[in-house]
Amino acid sequence: MKVLRSMTGFGRFVQHNDRYALVWEIRSVNGRFLDIKWKLPALLRPFESRFEKAVRRCAARGRVEIALTLQEADRQALVSFDGGQAGAMLAALKKFAAERGDEFVPDYGSLLKIPALWAGNDEEASEELVLFAENSLCAALADWNASREEEAKALKKDLEVRFEKMRGWLGQINAKAPEIKETRFQVVRERLQEILQNAQAALDESRYLQEIAIIADRLDVSEECTRLEAHIARLFELMENGEDAGRKLDFTLQESFREINTCGNKIQDAAVSVLVVEYKNELEKCREQVQNLE
């Protein structure tokens, strides 16, 4: 059984060894599909696809931003300076100044502004470093998952309260429906009798029963209520299962909206209309909440 998780979360992990120190940070929000954005140091960019496999084992949906900060213990190894080229440039400037009769005093700080003299460490990442980063990423993903599970617990608690509210309103609709149907039958019979008395005609019982049968079919919401009960049970089940819960919950809530809307259209009663409106409002709130579940 898969654990219920939110798509919103944050994870962080810091680790270091004799040569490197790294910090992984993971941030995510809800999204229809899994969309991963990476911020990796140049040394590890070639291994993005390898790292992504680890992420896909933990996530199915959402927009995920993953950043890695990597520092090397020997900072001098991170950059190299082209001293030969810099010396040649300074010698040329000194000669140029001498030809003009000017004194040349080199400004070594200005060399920092010449990109051509500086280069990053172009060494390839060792398998040891890649494995070190990969294991640390898995630890950051575990921290991220823990935060998402905590968020999902709060969502689950809120949603289950809302599901129980809907179950209560459905019970009230079920209880009122037969009474409303009988009242409507009585109203129809009284009106027919009044019309027939004015026309000095007798009530055709068979015709009356036909009309009642048509009205009964139009007012009958037993099938819709049965399906709504099944949908509510399904909602609770999905919350416990967690497997692709976000999509399945959203679909079940859409189906519930269709059924309760049909109930409202069939039963033209003020009290039931209030319950139907409340039910719809709660469904909308639930749909907003499940958008955050994976």
Side-chain angles (χ1 to χ4, degrees):
M1 183 180 293
K2 187 176 178 181
V3 179
L4 189 69
R5 289 173 180 155
S6 169
M7 283 185 279
T8 302
F10 175 78
R12 190 172 189 271
F13 188 75
V14 180
Q15 192 171 21
H16 58 83
N17 60 16
D18 293 339
R19 185 173 179 185
Y20 295 101
L22 54 78
V23 180
W24 284 102
E25 287 191 350
I26 306 172
R27 292 177 173 83
S28 63
V29 294
N30 62 316
R32 191 174 180 185
F33 306 104
L34 181 59
D35 180 19
I36 306 172
K37 302 295 184 185
W38 294 92
K39 292 182 181 178
L40 298 175
L43 193 62
L44 290 171
R45 282 175 196 158
F47 303 93
E48 181 179 303
S49 60
R50 177 170 168 177
F51 297 149
E52 188 160 316
K53 290 178 182 178
V55 179
R56 290 187 176 275
R57 288 195 293 268
C58 297
R61 293 198 300 155
R63 287 178 290 173
V64 187
E65 293 183 359
I66 305 177
L68 171 61
T69 302
L70 177 67
Q71 293 181 343
E72 195 166 358
D74 182 5
R75 295 299 183 89
Q76 292 183 351
L78 295 176
V79 294
S80 60
F81 176 66
D82 191 343
Q85 178 69 16
M89 293 170 68
L90 290 172
L93 287 172
K94 184 177 181 180
K95 181 180 178 183
F96 177 71
E99 290 173 352
R100 294 174 58 86
D102 297 327
E103 182 183 1
F104 176 68
V105 179
D107 178 10
Y108 293 105
S110 63
L111 299 178
L112 293 170
K113 303 176 182 178
I114 305 175
L117 298 178
W118 301 91
N121 190 341
D122 294 329
E123 70 169 321
E124 293 184 359
S126 64
E127 177 61 24
E128 180 184 0
L129 172 59
V130 177
L131 188 60
F132 178 58
E134 189 175 20
N135 291 337
S136 301
L137 173 59
C138 290
L141 288 169
D143 185 55
W144 175 57
N145 277 337
S147 75
R148 296 198 298 146
E149 288 166 16
E150 283 300 313
E151 177 75 13
K153 286 179 183 178
L155 288 173
K156 180 175 182 286
K157 185 176 180 180
D158 179 75
L159 285 167
E160 287 180 341
V161 170
R162 297 182 187 280
F163 296 161
E164 286 294 351
K165 283 183 183 179
M166 292 189 291
R167 178 174 276 167
W169 290 328
L170 180 59
Q172 293 181 53
I173 293 171
N174 256 325
K176 290 177 179 294
E179 180 184 345
I180 293 169
K181 189 187 296 185
E182 290 300 322
T183 302
R184 190 66 59 84
F185 292 164
Q186 186 61 32
V187 170
V188 170
R189 186 177 183 89
E190 290 174 358
R191 287 181 179 175
L192 281 173
Q193 287 178 337
E194 182 180 350
I195 292 169
L196 292 172
Q197 284 176 2
N198 293 335
Q200 295 183 347
L203 177 64
D204 185 343
E205 194 67 26
S206 62
R207 178 64 177 170
Y208 167 73
L209 291 175
Q210 288 177 6
E211 293 297 327
I212 289 298
I214 293 172
I215 294 172
D217 184 61
R218 289 176 180 173
L219 293 175
D220 185 21
V221 294
S222 58
E223 290 185 11
E224 287 80 4
C225 288
T226 298
R227 284 193 286 269
L228 280 169
E229 288 174 354
H231 289 333
I232 291 174
R234 175 64 172 160
L235 290 170
F236 278 102
E237 178 186 333
L238 289 170
M239 295 294 287
E240 294 300 325
N241 190 345
E243 182 68 34
D244 198 17
R247 295 181 194 274
K248 293 176 181 177
L249 284 164
D250 189 48
F251 176 77
T252 306
L253 289 168
Q254 288 183 57
E255 290 296 299
S256 299
F257 191 91
R258 187 170 65 85
E259 299 295 347
I260 194 64
N261 196 53
T262 302
C263 287
N265 292 335
K266 282 188 172 184
I267 304 179
Q268 299 296 322
D269 177 80
V272 171
S273 294
V274 171
L275 294 173
V276 169
V277 169
E278 293 286 354
Y279 204 112
K280 288 181 179 179
N281 286 337
E282 208 62 36
L283 283 173
E284 286 298 326
K285 292 175 184 176
C286 289
R287 287 198 66 190
E288 290 176 7
Q289 294 282 53
V290 301
Q291 299 303 316
N292 292 313
L293 290 174
E294 190 175 71

